[in-house]
Amino acid sequence: MPEKSKILYLIDGHALAYRTYFALTAAGGSDSASRWVTRSGEPTAGTYGFVAVLFRIVEQDQPDYLAVSFDVGRTFRDDLFADYKGTRAKMPDDLAAQIERIREVVQAFNIPVLEAEGYEADDVLGTVAKRAAAGGVKVVIVTGDRDLLQLADKRIRIQLAGHKLSEAVLYGPDDVTDKYGLTPQQYIDFKALVGDKSDNIPGVAGVGEKTATELLQQYGTLDKIYKNLDKIPARFKSKLEAGKQNAYLSKQLATIITDVDLPFDLSACAAPRLTGSGDASGRPLLNFDRDRVAELFRVLEFRSLLGRLPKGDEQTVEAESAAPQPTGEQLSLFGESRQSSVVSSQSSVASRQSSVGGQPPSTTRPIIVNTPESLASLVTALASAPAIAFDVETTHTDPMRAELVGVALAVREGEGYYAPIGHRAEAGGQRSEVGVRPPTSDLQLPLTVVLDALRPVLSDAAKPKYAHNAKYDYIVLKRAGLEVGPLAFDTMLAEWLCDPSSRNLGLKNLAWMRLGVEMTNIEALIGKGARQITMDRVSVEAAAPYAAADVDMTLRLVPILRKELEEKNVLRLLTEIELPLIPALAEMEMSGVALDVELLGEMSKTLEKQLAQIEKQIHKHVGHEFNLNSTQQLAAALFETLKLKPPDRSRKTTAGKYSTAADVLEEMRGQHEVIALILEHRELSKLKSTYVDALPEDVNPATGRVHTSYNQTGAVTGRIASSEPNLQNIPIRTELGREVRKAFIAPRGRRLVAVDYSQIELRIAAHVSGDATLRQAFERGDDIHAATAAAVRGIPVEKVTKDQRRLAKSVNFGLLYGQGAFGLSQTTGLTVGEADDFIKNYFEQFPGVRRYLDETKKRAKEIGYVETLLGRRRYFPILQRPGTTREDAMARSRAEREAINSPIQGTAADIIKLAMLHLAAELPRKFPTARMILQVHDELVFECDTADAEGVAKLAKKIMEGAYKLDVPVVAEARVGKNWEEMKTIVS
């Protein structure tokens, strides 16, 4: 068999950076530019996109050789035509800052950077491509620039990036012809005729793409077109004659030079090795410095990409023929000198870290606790330790369904204890064949023995306990009979308080970002997908290092995070609110809520019938049956069959169909009655699938109740989030939504008590703004929305109509979310002008609110963050970063709106947390059988004995109203009932 041809991939650096940058920022919406920023404020969208494509090339295409070229400045084309690229938009500021970082990553992978003064990257790529192809090598040029299509031939193909990173298309010469009706060589003459607006190449005025294509298809070349001018229709002949000079100038500008004088060593372009064969011991042989790449990924917060690198104990080998670069030549083969070996990631990065007591150990030493002697030694170590980090290994992510597999503990850096409890025999647990003793490392102690031994020290009030996501471990251990306390530090909560928008709340990410340590992912032990196993089936020998590292890294993170919390003045929030709240939330989760499953079953049947009827009506209007859940079929029905007009003709799906998203259909209301039916069908279908059918499946078989999970880090504002199932989003404004709330019931002999704050965010706004009119309205106990309408319109409050009150309510809440005239017009039906006038009148009556909005935006821009009344911070780095693109402007506008609202919504979250802490302390003393079971933003729900209901309601109301003193009255309303919907108001 003939030897397979080698393949060289050439990357157009600037072009690919542009394409990937805009693909990622456009795909993420208006806040995408803000999302692609590190905690230090470095933008990363272009860098991430570039490196992601680089990985795809290396992993999937597996080229033999790889090189990158960048533009270097002024070229000969600027001398030919002073206005060359003169109309091109300036590179976005945040992308320009990323080009050097991309170079750094490329050089870290030992990928040569090809450049030549006076020439564009296209010329360098063209030269190298032709030279390599002449030597028998196949070439693929990766770019976003169609100019390179002229290079396509039987050995050179062009890979054009699409609008999305996954939409790249490969062009050979036949593909170019199929797409454009021209050969690659004709593509140069095509540009000569039509020009190129992006590069400001003039072309021939009045000659468009269709005409240019027809002329070239008929005559073949630009020269032959001009030789045959007499045969060309007069209207084009005159234009061609007048534009001849521009045509040939444009051809010079558009032609890629393929004979640039530059040195090129193909063997020095050996592609990075990420997979494949290794040395005699099976370790992959790397031709780049993995530690250098890993450190760059850590700085850039690219942990998802880090996982695609080979592990940290590989050997490094020199690239083929890696000769030093000759002095003064333009070909840059390598960045920094390479090391001859790579040590483990933990070891290499550990040398850069400082820790309490000096340098941390390079790895974690696991100590398996599976004998009475080792358990006694562990208890002794715990008793003498100043603090203890703890963690559990279980069979499930739901702490109410999880079985305990093992307990991990750490008291000093560099080691961790692991007490296996529930590993199964199939994994090498303590059960064994008769007469055969298992290996010592696979022995286990009984659950009761371990917990009895650990209980005194883990419940010792004088010994601080540390954990990561402590609530999970707390619940699992408490269900097993061990209540851990006091909880003195939670590294997940600490990271979140340091930066509420942090993407490193997981321990693995956090350890990598804060310590530079690459930890083993759980999938390495249990697998993923259909073949995933549970932790109890992992061997003790494999589980122990994993569990030990978890507690070791938690222990190491505590001093680092505590220092930052102190610097940011938020340590008090951790110690006085978030940590004490963990046991309270854990009790709520363990208590759960009772559900009327039969009622939901009947609702499901009713909704099924309603949905079928609505679907028939929709099909009747359209004229034929179709799948209502298929967006393509729905789009065809609306825009092709019914000929309805989309509000935005440019908004299409990836399949090329007009969008049928909810916001699009809402704008189309009134065009046809089928639109209202579709929206109703969607609403009912979502209600049925999300709640009516799903909630019964969430009933825990062991308790007969539904147990939601409360996530303290689920919202950047500080609000508690509910999940699995989410009990905070049950609709209450519709009759059907309220029917769902009826299914949340109190058992026989018990009652539900619901207490919620009245307009707490508006009261906080009155406090922080100091607006006299707003404060007086609350002090008088006025209906605040009616009072607002009366003040703005200059009429007595008793003459305010329902519509006027509704409009005032929209403004009251809208302004707290930074809403402007356009946003108000969208929610109220007013014209933009009417909305603008209303807002102006509003601010004339409430100048303190205007002052608060302006000062908050100004302060957020000056210092980069806003704070709640209790000091909780939210950061807005984009407000301090320059940016000139439309996406930047949209992201800043959104950030300003969020900066206005965050102090208010965050303070509301803080206040209800304070109330929960007080209630968690008072309820057991005064009403021992009462339980706090739900938290829904500004509302708390309790379950208690019927005889205690009124007393619980009054106590909860009193505590909630006194949780935090504002300059205006804080009011809470209490209700009691057999279910969450049918409740009677209790007046204190």
Side-chain angles (χ1 to χ4, degrees):
M1 290 181 63
E3 185 179 348
K4 184 180 177 182
S5 296
K6 300 283 187 178
I7 299 178
L8 165 66
Y9 268 65
L10 298 171
I11 297 177
D12 184 349
H14 275 93
L16 185 60
Y18 255 101
R19 282 300 182 119
T20 56
Y21 169 83
F22 284 110
L24 289 177
T25 54
S30 62
D31 66 332
S32 184
S34 179
R35 185 168 72 88
W36 292 101
V37 177
T38 67
R39 60 183 285 112
S40 66
E42 179 176 352
T44 59
T47 311
Y48 181 89
F50 187 99
V51 179
V53 171
L54 180 65
F55 266 88
R56 179 184 60 74
I57 290 169
V58 173
E59 292 173 340
Q60 297 179 21
D61 302 337
Q62 297 184 358
D64 300 286
Y65 307 104
L66 183 62
V68 179
S69 183
F70 292 97
D71 292 325
V72 291
R74 187 175 180 84
T75 73
F76 74 92
R77 291 180 180 86
D78 297 297
D79 296 327
L80 282 173
F81 184 46
D83 291 330
Y84 179 62
K85 293 189 177 181
T87 57
R88 177 170 290 189
K90 179 178 177 287
M91 180 185 287
D93 293 335
D94 61 337
L95 176 57
Q98 295 176 63
I99 297 299
E100 281 307 310
R101 186 64 93 177
I102 292 172
R103 284 173 170 271
E104 194 176 352
V105 174
V106 168
Q107 291 171 348
F109 273 111
N110 271 344
I111 299 171
V113 175
L114 313 175
E115 297 171 335
E117 290 292 340
Y119 294 92
E120 293 185 45
D122 291 1
D123 302 316
V124 174
L125 294 171
T127 298
V128 173
K130 291 291 186 181
R131 197 179 301 179
V137 176
K138 290 183 177 180
V139 180
V140 175
I141 301 176
V142 181
T143 182
D145 188 347
R146 295 184 183 275
D147 289 350
L148 286 150
L149 291 174
Q150 64 186 266
L151 297 174
D153 63 24
K154 62 181 181 181
R155 300 198 73 85
I156 301 173
R157 291 185 296 172
I158 314 302
Q159 187 179 95
L160 284 179
H163 291 295
K164 295 184 179 179
L165 299 183
S166 59
E167 295 177 351
V169 179
L170 198 62
Y171 288 88
D174 293 340
D175 303 302
V176 175
T177 303
D178 291 342
K179 176 76 172 177
Y180 298 100
L182 301 169
T183 66
Q185 191 61 33
Q186 286 177 315
Y187 194 77
I188 303 172
D189 290 346
F190 173 79
K191 281 292 187 76
L193 290 168
V194 301
D196 187 338
K197 289 183 179 179
S198 66
D199 287 339
N200 200 31
I201 296 175
V204 176
V207 175
E209 293 184 1
K210 182 179 178 183
T211 302
T213 301
E214 289 174 351
L215 289 171
L216 287 168
Q217 287 174 342
Q218 184 174 356
Y219 297 106
T221 68
L222 184 67
D223 288 339
K224 289 182 178 179
I225 289 172
Y226 275 100
K227 285 180 181 178
N228 290 277
L229 277 181
D230 291 340
K231 300 177 183 178
I232 294 173
R235 70 180 189 276
F236 294 123
K237 177 182 177 182
S238 61
K239 293 174 181 176
L240 287 165
E241 285 177 330
K244 183 174 182 179
Q245 184 176 350
N246 274 349
Y248 280 95
L249 170 64
S250 297
K251 181 169 183 175
Q252 278 186 283
L253 295 173
T255 301
I256 293 175
I257 305 301
T258 58
D259 58 356
V260 177
D261 182 16
L262 55 79
F264 175 65
D265 179 1
L266 179 66
S267 62
C269 299
R273 298 171 182 168
L274 300 181
T275 58
S277 59
D279 63 2
S281 65
R283 294 181 299 175
L285 296 173
L286 303 185
N287 57 350
F288 63 91
D289 184 343
R290 184 195 186 277
D291 273 2
R292 186 180 171 201
V293 174
E295 177 62 13
L296 275 171
F297 283 4
R298 187 180 75 83
V299 172
L300 293 166
E301 301 179 10
F302 292 170
R303 189 170 189 273
S304 62
L305 296 179
L306 179 76
R308 293 161 69 177
L309 287 176
K311 296 303 177 185
D313 57 352
E314 304 83 348
Q315 293 178 333
T316 295
V317 296
E318 295 295 319
E320 301 169 21
S321 304
Q325 178 184 333
T327 304
E329 295 184 346
Q330 298 302 321
L331 175 63
S332 172
L333 291 181
F334 304 106
E336 300 174 8
S337 61
R338 292 163 297 177
Q339 297 176 358
S340 60
S341 64
V342 175
V343 295
S344 77
S345 165
Q346 289 188 3
S347 176
S348 64
V349 181
S351 65
R352 296 189 293 271
Q353 305 296 329
S354 60
S355 177
V356 176
Q359 298 293 342
S362 60
T363 57
T364 301
R365 181 172 71 95
I367 304 170
I368 298 174
V369 180
N370 57 2
T371 64
E373 296 79 12
S374 59
L375 181 60
S377 296
L378 169 60
V379 171
T380 300
L382 297 177
S384 60
I388 301 169
F390 72 101
D391 184 41
V392 296
E393 301 301 333
T394 68
T395 58
H396 205 288
T397 56
D398 180 350
M400 290 301 296
R401 296 174 187 257
E403 296 177 13
L404 191 58
V405 175
V407 179
L409 302 143
V411 295
R412 64 179 65 88
E413 292 182 1
E415 66 181 26
Y417 296 88
Y418 183 63
I421 295 170
H423 290 265
R424 296 170 60 180
E426 296 93 323
Q430 66 181 39
R431 301 178 187 84
S432 60
E433 295 179 15
V434 177
V436 179
R437 181 178 174 84
T440 304
S441 63
D442 286 342
L443 289 172
Q444 298 182 79
L445 291 169
L447 170 66
T448 54
V449 171
V450 173
L451 296 187
D452 286 347
L454 298 179
R455 186 173 290 105
V457 68
L458 290 186
S459 59
D460 183 353
K463 197 172 293 293
K465 314 302 185 307
Y466 306 153
H468 186 89
N469 190 17
K471 179 162 62 64
Y472 178 89
D473 308 279
Y474 179 93
I475 292 173
V476 170
L477 288 171
K478 185 160 186 181
R479 285 180 55 230
L482 195 166
E483 183 172 353
V484 179
L487 301 176
F489 208 91
D490 185 321
T491 47
M492 182 178 76
L493 290 177
E495 169 69 10
W496 174 67
L497 285 171
C498 288
D499 178 9
S501 60
S502 172
R503 297 193 293 272
N504 303 306
L505 298 181
L507 181 60
K508 277 44 175 192
N509 273 19
L510 188 57
W512 185 52
M513 292 306 304
R514 295 283 189 169
L515 303 171
V517 174
E518 293 177 45
M519 298 180 68
T520 300
N521 285 318
I522 187 68
E523 289 81 9
L525 275 69
I526 65 174
K528 54 186 175 181
R531 303 187 66 178
Q532 188 176 82
I533 61 174
T534 48
M535 197 67 176
D536 57 329
R537 300 189 65 181
V538 175
S539 70
V540 173
E541 187 175 24
Y546 176 87
D550 278 359
V551 284
D552 180 21
M553 295 309 135
T554 298
L555 197 67
R556 297 189 197 199
L557 284 165
V558 171
I560 296 170
L561 290 167
R562 179 183 282 125
K563 180 182 178 183
E564 186 169 329
L565 290 170
E566 290 172 345
E567 291 171 349
K568 293 182 173 180
N569 201 29
V570 289
L571 180 60
R572 182 168 164 265
L573 280 173
L574 178 70
T575 57
E576 297 184 14
I577 295 183
E578 300 298 347
L579 287 173
L581 195 61
I582 291 174
L585 291 174
E587 290 295 334
M588 291 171 65
E589 290 185 23
M590 289 188 286
S591 294
V593 59
L595 201 67
D596 188 337
V597 175
E598 291 184 8
L599 174 63
L600 290 174
E602 291 301 315
M603 280 188 68
S604 181
K605 294 175 185 176
T606 301
L607 286 171
E608 190 73 41
K609 292 177 182 177
Q610 285 182 260
L611 287 167
Q613 291 171 353
I614 295 171
E615 191 168 358
K616 284 183 180 179
Q617 289 178 274
I618 293 170
H619 289 161
K620 184 177 179 181
H621 281 297
V622 173
H624 62 83
E625 293 186 0
F626 64 95
N627 182 359
L628 204 54
N629 294 318
S630 167
T631 55
Q632 291 189 39
Q633 291 185 36
L634 177 59
L638 295 180
F639 304 114
E640 295 173 19
T641 304
L642 295 179
K643 308 295 184 185
L644 301 184
K645 295 180 180 179
D648 182 359
R649 290 185 175 274
S650 66
R651 185 171 174 184
K652 292 187 177 182
T653 65
T654 53
K657 299 286 186 180
Y658 287 122
S659 172
T660 57
D663 59 331
V664 173
L665 295 183
E666 282 292 347
E667 286 191 59
M668 293 175 62
R669 273 190 188 271
Q671 278 198 43
H672 195 290
E673 55 190 304
V674 75
I675 301 296
L677 290 170
I678 293 169
L679 287 169
E680 183 183 3
H681 188 278
R682 284 186 177 179
E683 182 184 356
L684 297 182
S685 180
K686 183 178 180 180
L687 186 70
K688 182 177 184 295
S689 62
T690 305
Y691 297 108
V692 178
D693 292 343
L695 282 172
E697 299 296 320
D698 290 317
V699 174
N700 188 305
T703 66
R705 294 166 74 95
V706 172
H707 303 267
T708 187
S709 175
Y710 287 110
N711 184 357
Q712 288 164 270
T713 65
V716 291
T717 58
R719 274 189 169 187
I720 296 170
S722 164
S723 62
E724 300 177 279
N726 183 349
L727 300 182
Q728 294 180 333
N729 279 352
I730 297 173
I732 60 173
R733 291 186 175 89
T734 65
E735 183 179 343
L736 278 169
R738 291 190 290 271
E739 286 293 312
V740 173
R741 287 170 70 103
K742 285 183 183 178
F744 290 82
I745 59 173
R748 180 174 297 179
R750 307 271 283 176
R751 288 291 183 272
L752 295 184
V753 175
V755 187
D756 67 291
Y757 283 114
S758 171
Q759 298 168 341
I760 186 65
E761 291 190 13
L762 285 173
R763 294 174 190 273
I764 294 168
H767 175 94
V768 298
S769 70
D771 187 89
T773 306
L774 200 57
R775 286 187 176 187
Q776 289 166 11
F778 278 121
E779 288 165 359
R780 290 193 301 265
D782 291 349
D783 176 335
I784 192 63
H785 303 310
T788 299
V792 171
R793 295 178 182 276
I795 60 176
V797 69
E798 59 270 15
K799 290 190 176 182
V800 172
T801 66
K802 288 184 178 180
D803 285 343
Q804 289 170 342
R805 182 186 183 278
R806 176 182 58 80
L807 178 57
K809 181 178 181 180
S810 295
V811 174
N812 275 332
F813 286 113
L815 291 179
L816 296 188
Y817 286 85
Q819 193 177 64
F822 178 76
L824 181 61
S825 71
Q826 296 291 99
T827 58
T828 61
L830 295 175
T831 67
V832 175
E834 290 169 338
D836 188 53
D837 288 341
F838 194 96
I839 291 174
K840 287 178 181 176
N841 292 336
Y842 179 95
F843 285 138
E844 286 177 5
Q845 297 300 317
F846 301 99
V849 177
R850 165 90 277 176
R851 186 170 55 252
Y852 165 76
L853 301 180
D854 292 341
E855 289 178 354
T856 301
K857 286 192 289 186
K858 180 182 177 183
R859 182 168 175 78
K861 185 175 182 179
E862 288 175 349
I863 64 175
Y865 63 87
V866 293
E867 290 182 316
T868 67
L869 292 178
L870 278 75
R872 185 184 303 276
R873 293 183 182 182
R874 183 175 176 189
Y875 293 87
F876 297 94
I878 193 167
L879 295 179
Q880 297 185 300
R881 197 173 72 242
T884 56
T885 66
R886 177 174 175 269
E887 289 76 15
D888 287 329
M890 293 173 66
R892 276 195 296 272
S893 178
R894 175 169 178 157
E896 286 180 346
R897 293 195 299 272
E898 292 173 347
I900 289 168
N901 177 250
S902 288
I904 295 172
Q905 191 177 107
T907 296
D910 290 340
I911 290 174
I912 200 165
K913 286 178 179 179
L914 289 172
M916 292 170 73
L917 291 174
H918 295 316
L919 283 161
E922 288 294 307
L923 275 178
R925 292 196 308 106
K926 296 186 176 179
F927 300 99
T929 64
R931 294 186 283 184
M932 187 159 49
I933 60 172
L934 290 174
Q935 192 267 4
V936 183
H937 304 315
D938 301 331
E939 178 182 18
L940 294 176
V941 181
F942 308 83
E943 182 187 298
C944 63
D945 290 343
T946 301
D948 293 336
E950 188 167 337
V952 169
K954 290 180 177 179
L955 175 65
K957 175 179 166 66
K958 178 182 177 182
I959 287 177
M960 289 175 69
E961 290 179 343
Y964 189 87
K965 183 173 176 56
L966 297 176
D967 291 340
V968 297
V970 175
V971 176
E973 298 173 351
R975 294 167 293 128
V976 175
K978 291 183 178 181
N979 64 63
W980 196 6
E981 172 58 23
E982 298 172 331
M983 308 186 91
K984 181 180 73 173
T985 300
I986 296 294
V987 181
S988 58

